[in-house]
Amino acid sequence: MNAILKSPFAWLVRREYWESRRGFLWAQVWAAGAILAISILGIIAAEVARVRFGDQVQFSSGGLSEALRNGFEHNTPGLVQALDGTLLSFASIGAIVLTFVVFFYLLGALYDDRRDRSVLFWKSLPVSDTATVISKIVAALLVAPLIAVAVVLAGYIGAQIIASLWFLAHGLNPFTLLWVHAEPFSLWLHLLAMVPVNAVWALPTVGWLLVWSAAVRSKPFLWAAVIPIVAGVLNFWIGLLGLPHISYRFFWGDLVGRALLSVIPAGWIAPNAEYLNSRGVNFVHGDQLAAIDFSAMAHAFTLPEMWVGAAAGIALIAAAIWFRRWRDET
Amino acid sequence: MNQAIEAVMDEPAMPQAGTETVIRARGLVKRFKTTRALDGADFEVRTGRIVGLIGPNGAGKTTALKAILGLTDFEGELSVLGMDPRRQRPELMRQVCFIADVATLPRWIRVDEAIDFVAGVHPRFDRAKCERFLERTKINGQQRVRELSKGMIVQLHLAIVMAIDARLLVLDEPTLGLDILYRKQFYQSLLEDYFDENKTILITTHQVEEVEHILTDLLFIRDGKIVLSTTMEEMGARFVEVLVNPDKVGAARTLKPIDERGAVFGKSIFLYDGADPEQLAQLGEVKRPSVSDLFVATMKGTYA
């Protein structure tokens, strides 16, 4: 392990983290912090309401403490769902932040250093362009998501602590009420296990963004986004003329969607739906988490979408490496 | 398999000053859409030399350096330390360092991070040495590159590069835009703390006067071709400048000067290539031309 951390490749990945610390770490911390701040504001509002209007306004005769006790002690499934929901709210915000951060990180990964000419410094070191590009992919697909998942856990524990203090203030025992429930932590392990699944799923977008990042002279975002749109409009127009064209669904869903949106965590859930239906999973009635259980993740690897996309992604990454090696305009 | 054998055979032996060829270029051609940045350039650079690659803007200096560093594709034969820069760039970069100009250190990085990183990826980097160089400056490890002045950025880059035990150092306009104190200090450090008979330095610069006294060899490049390749000693023996009184100008012209320019008091300065020194001495005061005068004479008509 020590030898791995001291290898040149580990330094390449570390370099990526240093450069993108703000997006990888601090954006996640701020997002989780915002949720915690909002919960504290909510608790304060509840307490103030209790003092101002008395208990009878919102709660039954036993007051807030009694309401909490009734709500939580006697309704364990509801409580577990609420705790899972808390974790998922951290996870969803984290996933949104992660999507944006990773998308723009990849667009800039092979472009920003060409723009400011620091590529000449990086290229003065004995590092192959292949290793450089792969280190950026590792940063985007493993480092950033692992940090996000860690911050989700920290945020959840923070929320539990805040709730515990609130419970204590009302003479309730937070250990028997909150901390005995291991389900949210099991859910968190699922988030962790999802990282490699998401990584393989994201490859086409990674390749698409890196190619433009490595190849264009300026405005990689425009190229990466405008080309599919122009192609889509042309395809639509050809269709209007009644000529043979690519099916719109395939074009927007399987080509453009995969090229631009596969970095969204758990994007493989949609093509996995058939399998989930065959298992009798009912999304409407509380089975949502079945979509990301271990068997669903395993099944995602049997989807042709997964492997065709990954192959396309790897081909695009190879092209990005080629551009990184030979693009020369500084 | 064949490649492996070739690589072993190409492995250079321990260098000996002045005898081993560090760079050998034959017929380098680099085409762009409408022009040729390199148009059949031939040159050699040997170990233990400080070579100035000098030419006007657009002559192909930077393209030649990029070819040597494996940053661009080209046609022709080029061997750097026995390696092909097109195929073996990462291996080559263990032995070759370059400073491409003042502003290529990434602006976001902290000084400490830059040093950690180079120490992590470069097997020939001596961290203690780098830190010793930095102690002489006002640079502090917590600063980011964007907080440093241009002069300090160069000091940092130079400290990093000088701590790498490389055999070839390539400098492309390394002091562009620096004030005179930093420029002097830059070349002084290179000579005192870095250069030795096992190392080779290849420099391109516009400020010829500044490097003139440290160069051992000259390569003049014009329109993608090497037009002059000489050591400084040979240059002194071959090129002579004569300050000629007006009455002897006619005689001076018959000796086929390569350049003639006016001087004070109606005198003229003639530049000769390989003329008989005794004959020249009769024309007037003889002296060794400066590199910049030789450069101007050689490049006449380039912008015309």
Side-chain angles (χ1 to χ4, degrees):
Chain A
M1 192 62 193
N2 209 8
I4 295 174
L5 291 177
K6 283 184 175 166
S7 70
F9 187 78
W11 285 102
L12 294 181
V13 177
R14 230 171 252 138
R15 193 212 80 93
E16 295 307 313
Y17 170 71
W18 292 337
E19 186 175 4
S20 302
R21 214 170 344 217
R22 270 198 210 152
F24 288 0
L25 175 64
W26 295 114
Q28 296 289 353
V29 169
W30 280 107
I35 300 180
L36 291 177
I38 289 167
S39 353
I40 292 172
L41 293 179
I43 290 174
I44 293 172
E47 291 297 322
V48 169
R50 187 171 68 89
V51 171
R52 282 180 66 192
F53 305 113
D55 280 343
Q56 78 282 0
V57 176
Q58 275 153 317
F59 306 108
S60 55
S61 55
L64 182 61
S65 309
E66 199 52 38
L68 286 172
R69 194 188 309 277
N70 285 335
F72 290 140
E73 259 179 359
H74 309 306
N75 182 11
T76 310
L79 172 62
V80 167
Q81 231 176 37
L83 293 179
D84 278 351
T86 306
L87 184 83
L88 281 180
S89 66
F90 281 102
S92 336
I93 300 289
I96 292 168
V97 170
L98 182 68
T99 301
F100 281 97
V101 165
V102 167
F103 186 94
F104 287 102
Y105 166 78
L106 289 167
L107 263 185
L110 301 172
Y111 170 70
D112 292 346
D113 61 3
R114 293 190 295 129
R115 194 183 44 183
D116 71 8
R117 290 170 44 83
S118 59
V119 63
L120 290 172
F121 174 68
W122 304 121
K123 285 206 174 198
S124 76
L125 296 164
V127 174
S128 73
D129 298 287
T130 308
T132 301
V133 173
I134 293 176
S135 74
K136 288 168 194 277
I137 297 170
V138 168
L141 296 186
L142 297 179
V143 176
L146 287 175
I147 292 172
V149 170
V151 173
V152 165
L153 181 65
Y156 176 74
I157 290 174
Q160 287 263 54
I161 290 170
I162 290 168
S164 300
L165 294 174
W166 189 36
F167 281 24
L168 280 173
H170 289 277
L172 299 167
N173 182 348
F175 294 96
T176 55
L177 279 174
L178 292 178
W179 296 92
V180 288
H181 297 292
E183 287 87 348
F185 295 99
S186 144
L187 175 57
W188 181 78
L189 278 181
H190 284 75
L191 297 182
L192 190 62
M194 242 160 66
V195 169
V197 190
N198 293 339
V200 178
W201 181 257
L203 284 173
T205 298
V206 170
W208 178 256
L209 297 180
L210 284 180
V211 159
W212 294 110
S213 183
V216 298
R217 236 171 244 280
S218 65
K219 303 189 178 61
F221 177 77
L222 227 54
W223 287 96
V226 166
I227 288 210
I229 289 168
V230 170
V233 171
L234 275 180
N235 185 51
F236 178 71
W237 178 74
I238 292 168
L240 276 186
L241 299 183
L243 296 169
H245 60 278
I246 305 169
S247 114
Y248 304 136
R249 203 188 141 92
F250 177 78
F251 185 87
W252 292 108
D254 291 303
L255 293 180
V256 180
R258 288 306 302 282
L260 291 176
L261 303 178
S262 299
V263 285
I264 298 174
W268 42 271
I269 287 181
N272 227 11
E274 209 171 301
Y275 160 77
L276 294 169
N277 287 336
S278 76
R279 266 174 52 193
V281 171
N282 185 342
F283 285 106
V284 185
H285 292 105
D287 280 350
Q288 289 94 336
L289 295 185
I292 57 165
D293 68 12
F294 290 119
S295 63
M297 285 187 225
H299 189 267
F301 280 111
T302 67
L303 297 169
E305 285 95 333
M306 182 69 104
W307 294 111
V308 174
I314 288 167
L316 288 165
I317 289 165
I321 293 172
W322 185 89
F323 278 119
R324 178 68 173 185
R325 175 71 184 89
W326 295 113
R327 199 87 176 92
D328 158 40
E329 77 275 34
T330 45
Chain B
M1 186 64 203
N2 275 340
Q3 260 184 20
I5 291 170
E6 221 174 75
V8 171
M9 304 230 318
D10 283 351
E11 192 75 43
M14 269 313 286
Q16 231 176 353
T19 56
E20 195 216 345
T21 303
V22 177
I23 305 172
R24 185 198 306 273
R26 289 279 169 277
L28 289 196
V29 173
K30 173 74 185 180
R31 288 169 222 267
F32 289 113
K33 268 169 211 152
T34 52
T35 54
R36 290 174 166 215
L38 290 174
D39 191 9
D42 299 317
F43 57 92
E44 268 182 34
V45 171
R46 287 178 303 153
T47 302
R49 316 294 296 182
I50 302 180
V51 182
L53 178 63
I54 295 166
N57 290 335
K61 297 186 299 278
T62 298
T63 308
L65 294 192
K66 279 185 174 170
I68 290 167
L69 296 165
L71 293 175
T72 191
D73 207 358
F74 53 86
E75 297 154 51
E77 265 176 64
L78 176 61
S79 153
V80 181
L81 295 163
M83 289 181 253
D84 181 342
R86 282 167 288 198
R87 289 188 296 109
Q88 294 166 283
R89 208 181 67 77
E91 295 87 334
L92 188 62
M93 286 300 120
R94 292 176 184 223
Q95 309 270 2
V96 178
C97 278
F98 71 96
I99 299 185
D101 76 22
V102 181
T104 63
L105 283 183
R107 294 174 58 72
W108 56 266
I109 207 165
R110 283 183 203 284
V111 173
D112 283 344
E113 289 173 343
I115 294 169
D116 284 345
F117 180 75
V118 178
V121 302
H122 208 305
R124 302 170 76 90
F125 179 74
D126 180 344
R127 190 192 187 106
K129 205 169 173 182
C130 180
E131 280 163 359
R132 270 206 309 283
F133 291 136
L134 284 179
E135 273 167 21
R136 299 187 209 157
T137 68
K138 288 182 182 160
I139 299 167
N140 135 12
Q142 285 302 304
Q143 283 175 299
R144 289 185 191 276
V145 166
R146 65 165 161 267
E147 296 158 10
L148 302 177
S149 74
K150 223 171 176 184
M152 288 160 93
I153 294 174
V154 175
Q155 285 178 326
L156 172 61
H157 204 162
L158 191 62
I160 290 173
V161 160
M162 291 203 307
I164 295 173
D165 182 24
R167 289 172 51 200
L168 172 64
L169 173 60
V170 175
L171 303 171
D172 186 8
E173 298 285 359
T175 58
L176 203 64
L178 292 188
D179 69 40
I180 184 91
L181 294 176
Y182 280 119
R183 295 207 303 261
K184 288 269 180 205
Q185 190 197 33
F186 181 89
Y187 290 113
Q188 198 65 32
S189 302
L190 267 187
L191 279 186
E192 281 176 13
D193 303 320
Y194 181 75
F195 184 67
D196 62 41
E197 71 275 12
N198 294 322
K199 294 193 161 75
T200 306
I201 301 179
L202 179 60
I203 307 177
T204 72
T205 177
H206 282 91
Q207 280 139 339
V208 185
E209 299 88 348
E210 216 166 79
V211 292
E212 180 162 5
H213 63 285
I214 70 167
L215 296 181
T216 65
D217 292 70
L218 280 180
L219 289 172
F220 280 1
I221 185 169
R222 177 178 179 176
D223 300 332
K225 292 187 184 75
I226 300 294
V227 292
L228 176 70
S229 169
T230 176
T231 66
M232 292 301 273
E233 302 96 74
E234 278 168 18
M235 175 194 143
R238 188 175 145 187
F239 294 96
V240 176
E241 235 177 39
V242 190
L243 187 62
V244 180
N245 276 326
D247 56 319
K248 290 187 177 164
V249 162
R253 282 186 185 138
T254 61
L255 294 178
K256 293 182 187 150
I258 58 170
D259 188 42
E260 174 186 343
R261 66 183 199 275
V264 286
F265 307 128
K267 294 182 179 185
S268 296
I269 297 173
F270 286 83
L271 179 64
Y272 294 93
D273 177 1
D276 176 11
E278 280 179 26
Q279 269 184 308
L280 294 183
Q282 291 166 6
L283 291 173
E285 190 188 330
V286 170
K287 69 177 186 98
R288 177 196 173 113
S290 70
V291 172
S292 42
D293 288 334
L294 185 59
F295 175 74
V296 171
T298 313
M299 301 298 162
K300 256 195 182 161
T302 300
Y303 295 133

